[in-house]
Amino acid sequence: MPTSHSRAGVASVCAAALTLSGLLVTGVLAARPAAAADPADYQNVRINEVTSSNNDTVELYNAGSTAVSVSGWKVADDGFSPQSFSPSSGTIPAGGFVTFDSPKGLGDADKLVIYTAGGTVVDRVEWATGKAKPAMARCGGDGTGAWVTTTAATTFGAPNAPGCPASAPAASRVRINEVTSGDADTVELYNGGTSAVAVGSWKYVDGDTSHSPAALSSSSPSATSIPAGGYVTFDSALGLGDNDSFFLVDGNGDTIDSVTWATGGAKPSSERCANGTGWFRTSTTATFGGANSCAGGSGGSGGDGGDTGRLLGGGGSLTSGCAPEAPAGTGSAPAGTLAWPGGKDVTIADDVCAFTTSTGPEGRDLSGLAFDPSNPSVLWAAKNKNWLFKLVKSNGKWIPDPSWSATGKQLRFLGGSGEPDSEGLTVGGNGHVYVTSERDNAKNTVPKDTIMEFDPSAAGSTLTPLHQWDMTAQFPQLNTGSKDDANLGFEGVGYVPDSWLTANGWVDPLTGAAYDPANYPLHGSGLFFAGLEWDGTLHVYGLNSDGTFTTFGTISTGKASVMDVTFDAGTQRIIATCDNTCSETHTFMKVDSAGAIVPDVTYTNPAVMPTDNLEGFAIAPASTCADGSREAVWTDDGVYGFGPGSSSYGHALYSGTFPC
């Protein structure tokens, strides 16, 4: 259970049959009316330049003849809720620019979506790894040119360099040339280059951010390439609304082109004038498959868009097997808490409702989390109601390892009985997985604060402990007959190697002298730090091979609760994590000059993260560092995200970056 709100007695959210974003819609959709507060001149605003380096700066360009207010506009980079941004000016003058630093953070491969105050998509751009470094800018015309990676200095706040470089890929010559939102919702692509362009792997998506991109090949199976100076037409499988957008994406995830129109702007069609190069205008006669006539009609919009779609997909329907639970009991962060030191960009890293089990919706989703130190491509995850998952990466997401168990393995207490309320886990020096339990869920009013040792290589769908250590008697305050109190015990655990404790001069509380592992011959190669949700303290144990344990005392984290504990060799710190109870914070613990383990620094989560029951946290080993950062992963025990209607609703894993 999401234990941190047990005190508040929060009821589960009914989410039966709630449709999430990421569903591929195969039929034609009803036209979506324009937001009443959106003036049509938003169509003249395009993303013109963007960088995923330094401050993640974005430039907007207004190709229209009148100034456009950007008051109340928002930005998103993935499935998270759009956020406000602070532009360099509240209006974009005709032919002018505004810039802002993205509050969402922009990843090495990512997307960027701009919305009006009324929620209409203005423009979007997506890019594959490295394409926005040092920056991406439109070439061949501000607001309407193709996207290329810049090699010269950035030009934020000023016109982009004229013309497209000779090195620009042939795909950058492909343009959306004409589109209609009437009848068959037809789209025409034009290749203005001097060589054919393969488009068999390309995709497209409309202005509905809940839609996943559709394959161009599924709409036009014969359209494997576009000849030089030639056209390809197809009918959109996503449907196009009376006011909508259309975005074209290549096989690498880079945006090629886009068009946006207001109510009636694509009837009978919206076409580029001049053919293949100009801005869009409403036509009087459709000319699909041939050069645009550009006769009569009215001014419209054009340009390119994009983003990386790292959070696209993963959609589905929430059923009673995956019932999200809203967070409650949000508290304040410790004094002096600092902003997240890693990247601002965070992505959803699992499929919706990926961890449902035979025990049903209770238990929600994942809690404790730990990278395998011997194999950083593996994440171990505990799910309440006695389940263990081995996760591996697939297409950028963490999924249950099908070679281990695609549905997780069920945990039992020593002897094969009971239902451990599995909360925290860690990997010991022997490669075994150690899991904490607060109680036996078959008797959920009685605490059972234990640490269990499992051999993950054991065969079968059920795992029983090799050893089990029961510390329940140390916490009489939890034994009140209340299931809520019984649910406030061991929430996390971290294995800390003896080598770190001795190298840093930790003083053994039992002897008052420097810690000497040789004094405890049965304990293995390190100690275990168990986090107590009740009061945020860490309890230190030596777990002996004969089933006994040594208690080394209690450590204050300065937090009201602890939900996960991990030792990070990269920072040489023990990390005590707390969810919304402590305002989503991570306290890094060190050994001070007196030999005591004390808080060193506390960080918040990245600003884009939801304020949820984010109970699990892990940082990838330093061996995985690339470009100055490594992966950080969070689990959401309540799978709530930003609530019903959000594309993060029903997801349990989030992925970001932490400095090397």
Side-chain angles (χ1 to χ4, degrees), residues 333-346:
T337 294
L338 303 178
W340 177 250
K344 294 184 288 184
D345 189 49
V346 176

Side-chain angles (χ1 to χ4, degrees), residues 1-24:
M1 288 287 291
T3 50
S4 65
H5 16 105
S6 295
R7 299 177 188 177
V10 178
S12 299
V13 173
C14 176
L18 175 66
T19 301
L20 283 186
S21 68
L23 291 177
L24 177 60

Side-chain angles (χ1 to χ4, degrees), residues 1 3 366-370 380-385 387-388 411 420-427 433-438 449-454 489-495 528-531 533 562-566 615-617 635 637:
M1 288 287 291
T3 50
L366 304 181
S367 187
L369 197 66
W380 292 101
K383 177 184 173 73
N384 300 160
K385 299 288 194 276
W387 290 90
L388 179 67
L411 305 179
D421 187 11
S422 44
E423 292 282 2
L425 63 78
T426 189
V427 180
V433 176
Y434 292 75
V435 179
T436 61
S437 178
E438 296 177 314
D449 288 287
T450 59
I451 302 176
M452 298 166 287
E453 176 188 358
F454 296 96
F490 284 164
E491 187 76 11
V493 63
Y495 168 79
F528 291 80
F529 287 60
E533 184 177 3
V562 171
M563 278 65 188
D564 206 359
V565 183
T566 187
E615 294 191 349
F617 176 68
T635 63
D637 190 36

Side-chain angles (χ1 to χ4, degrees), residues 527-616:
L527 303 183
F528 291 80
F529 287 60
L532 195 70
E533 184 177 3
W534 173 268
D535 59 5
T537 52
L538 300 182
H539 298 259
V540 187
Y541 300 102
L543 303 181
N544 299 324
S545 57
D546 63 358
T548 63
F549 60 89
T550 303
T551 302
F552 288 89
T554 302
I555 296 170
S556 173
T557 65
K559 293 171 171 286
S561 288
V562 171
M563 278 65 188
D564 206 359
V565 183
T566 187
F567 173 75
D568 176 47
T571 57
Q572 290 290 293
R573 295 292 186 269
I574 300 167
I575 306 171
T577 289
C578 183
D579 63 1
N580 59 305
T581 306
C582 314
S583 198
E584 311 287 1
T585 51
H586 310 276
T587 297
F588 288 61
M589 312 284 291
K590 68 177 182 179
V591 180
D592 68 8
S593 58
I597 296 175
V598 297
D600 181 21
V601 62
T602 298
Y603 297 115
T604 64
N605 277 344
V608 70
M609 294 285 284
T611 303
D612 267 7
N613 289 107
L614 301 174
E615 294 191 349

